[in-house]
C-alpha cells in the first residue's frame, strides 16, 4: 500500500477544513434565532441536544439571555456574517489553487469587508458587556477580545501585504486570520465532545477548558498550512538567523520559569485548576514537539528559510508563558479577577498572541530582505565608478 504523499495530506486537510466550514455556516447563521424569538429553530442547539442532552443546551441558553438581550442586533450581525465567512474561506482557497486571480481578488475584498463588519458586531457586544457578565466569565471575555483584535489585525496585514506585493506574507496573514475565525466551529466541537470525557460539566465549564488551548491550536494550524505551501529552500536577501542559539536558549529559560509559575498558580485551585492546566499543557507540548522537530529537520536538510521560520515561531512559543505570566497580575489588578481566573486568562491568550507576533517578525524579516536586495542592486542607468590608479 502506497504511503500518502505530502500533496495527498494537504488535499485531505483542505477537504476536511472546508467540510467543517460549510457545515458550520448554517449553524452560525441560526445560532442567535432563539434569543430573538424563543422556540425558533437553531441547527447547533438541535445537534447538541441530541449529542449531549436537552438540559445541557437549555442551561447554557438561560445563562446567555441577559447578556445577549442588550446587544442582540450586533450579535446577530456577527453570527450571520460569521457564517458567510465560513463559506468565503474555502472559496478563496479554491480560487487561489485554480489560479482564478481576478475572482480571488474580488472575493478577497468581500472577505475583508465581511470580517470588519462581523468583528464590529462582536466588538459592540464586548463593549456593552462587563467581563464578569460574559458567558463563562471574565476569562472568556478576554479571550474573545483578543481573538477579535487578532482577526482584525491579521486581515489588515493580509490586505497590506497583497497591495505591497508580498504574496507569501499575504498568504500567511490570511491563513492566520482564518485560523482565528475557526475558533468558533472548533469550540462547538468541544461543546459536543468534551462532555463525553467530562460528564456533568456545564457548557460554561467546557468553555473555560476550551479557551485554554483554542488560540494555540488555530495559530499552530495556520503555521503548518503556511509552511506546507511554502516550498522555498531560501529567500533572497535572507542570511543568518534572527533566532540564533543564544536567543533560543534564553527563551527556553524564561519560558520554563514562567511555565512553572503558571502551573503553580493553577494547581493551587484544586480540581478545576488541574483541569485547566492539563487543557493548556497537552496542546502546548504537542506544538512544542512538532515545532522543535520541524526546525531541526529543516536545518539538517539545508532548507534554511524553513528553518528560520520554524525557529522564530519556536522562540515565540517558548515566550508565550512569559507573556501569560506577565498578563495575569495585570488582569487581576485592572479587572479585579480572582487567583484562578487571572492566570487562566493569561495562559489562554499567550500562545495566540506570541504566534501573531512571530508572524509579524517573519513579515519584517521578508520585507527587510527585499530592502537589502534593493540596496545591493544598482539602479538602472546608474554609472558604476571604477577605481582609479595612482601612477
Amino acid at each position: 500500500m502506497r504511503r500518502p504523499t505530502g500533496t495527498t495530506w494537504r488535499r485531505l486537510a483542505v477537504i476536511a477544513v472546508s467540510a467543517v466550514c460549510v457545515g458550520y455556516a448554517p449553524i452560525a447563521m441560526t445560532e442567535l434565532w432563539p434569543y430573538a424569538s424563543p422556540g425558533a429553530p437553531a441547527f447547533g442547539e438541535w445537534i447538541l441536544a441530541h449529542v449531549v442532552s436537552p438540559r445541557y443546551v437549555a442551561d447554557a441558553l438561560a445563562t446567555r439571555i441577559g447578556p445577549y438581550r442588550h446587544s442582540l442586533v450586533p450579535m446577530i450581525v456577527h453570527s450571520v456574517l460569521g457564517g458567510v465567512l465560513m463559506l468565503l474561506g474555502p472559496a478563496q482557497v479554491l480560487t487561489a489553487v485554480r489560479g482564478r486571480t481576478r475572482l480571488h481578488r474580488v472575493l478577497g475584498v468581500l472577505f475583508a469587508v465581511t470580517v470588519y463588519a462581523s468583528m464590529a458586531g462582536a466588538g459592540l457586544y464586548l463593549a456593552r458587556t462587563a467581563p464578569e457578565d460574559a458567558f463563562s466569565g471574565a476569562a472568556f471575555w478576554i479571550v474573545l477580545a483578543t481573538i477579535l483584535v487578532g482577526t482584525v489585525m491579521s486581515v489588515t496585514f493580509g490586505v497590506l501585504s497583497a497591495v505591497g506585493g508580498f504574496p507569501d506574507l499575504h498568504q500567511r496573514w490570511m491563513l492566520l486570520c482564518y485560523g482565528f475565525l475557526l475558533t468558533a466551529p472548533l469550540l462547538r466541537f468541544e461543546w459536543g465532545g468534551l462532555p463525553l470525557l467530562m460528564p456533568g460539566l456545564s457548557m460554561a465549564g467546557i468553555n473555560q477548558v476550551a479557551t485554554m488551548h483554542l488560540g494555540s491550536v488555530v495559530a499552530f494550524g495556520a503555521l503548518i498550512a503556511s509552511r506546507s505551501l511554502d516550498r522555498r529552500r531560501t529567500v533572497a536577501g535572507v542570511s543568518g538567523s534572527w533566532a540564533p542559539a543564544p536567543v533560543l536558549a534564553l527563551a527556553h529559560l524564561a519560558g520554563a520559569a514562567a511555565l512553572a509559575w503558571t502551573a503553580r498558580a493553577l494547581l493551587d485551585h484544586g480540581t478545576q485548576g488541574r483541569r485547566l492546566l492539563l487543557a493548556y499543557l497537552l496542546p502546548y507540548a504537542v506544538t512544542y514537539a512538532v515545532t522543535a522537530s520541524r526546525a531541526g529537520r529543516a536545518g539538517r536538510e539545508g532548507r534554511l528559510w524553513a528553518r528560520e521560520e520554524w525557529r522564530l515561531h519556536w522562540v515565540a512559543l517558548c515566550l508565550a508563558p512569559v507573556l501569560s505570566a506577565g498578563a495575569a497580575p495585570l488582569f487581576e489588578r485592572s479587572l479585579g479577577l480572582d487567583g484562578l481566573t487571572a492566570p487562566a486568562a493569561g495562559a489562554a491568550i499567550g500562545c495566540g498572541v506570541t504566534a501573531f507576533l512571530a508572524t509579524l517578525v517573519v513579515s519584517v524579516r521578508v520585507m527587510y530582505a527585499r530592502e537589502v536586495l534593493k540596496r545591493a542592486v544598482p539602479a538602472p542607468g546608474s554609472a558604476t565608478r571604477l577605481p582609479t590608479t595612482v601612477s
Side-chain angles (χ1 to χ4, degrees), residues 126-201:
L126 291 173
R128 295 175 178 178
T129 304
E132 61 272 15
D133 292 335
F135 186 41
S136 302
F140 191 61
W141 188 97
I142 291 170
V143 171
L144 290 179
T146 305
I147 291 174
L148 186 154
V149 173
T151 303
V152 171
M153 293 189 68
S154 295
V155 75
T156 301
F157 285 143
V159 171
L160 292 176
S161 298
V163 173
F166 293 94
D168 53 338
L169 300 183
H170 168 73
Q171 179 176 273
R172 281 163 172 76
W173 283 116
M174 298 310 293
L175 285 170
L176 183 59
C177 172
Y178 207 70
F180 286 139
L181 292 172
L182 284 175
T183 54
L186 292 180
L187 179 59
R188 273 65 182 178
F189 275 118
E190 301 211 25
W191 285 353
L194 288 185
L196 302 177
L197 302 175
M198 304 174 182
L201 200 61

Side-chain angles (χ1 to χ4, degrees), residues 383-389:
T384 303
R385 187 175 179 180
L386 298 177
T388 57
T389 58

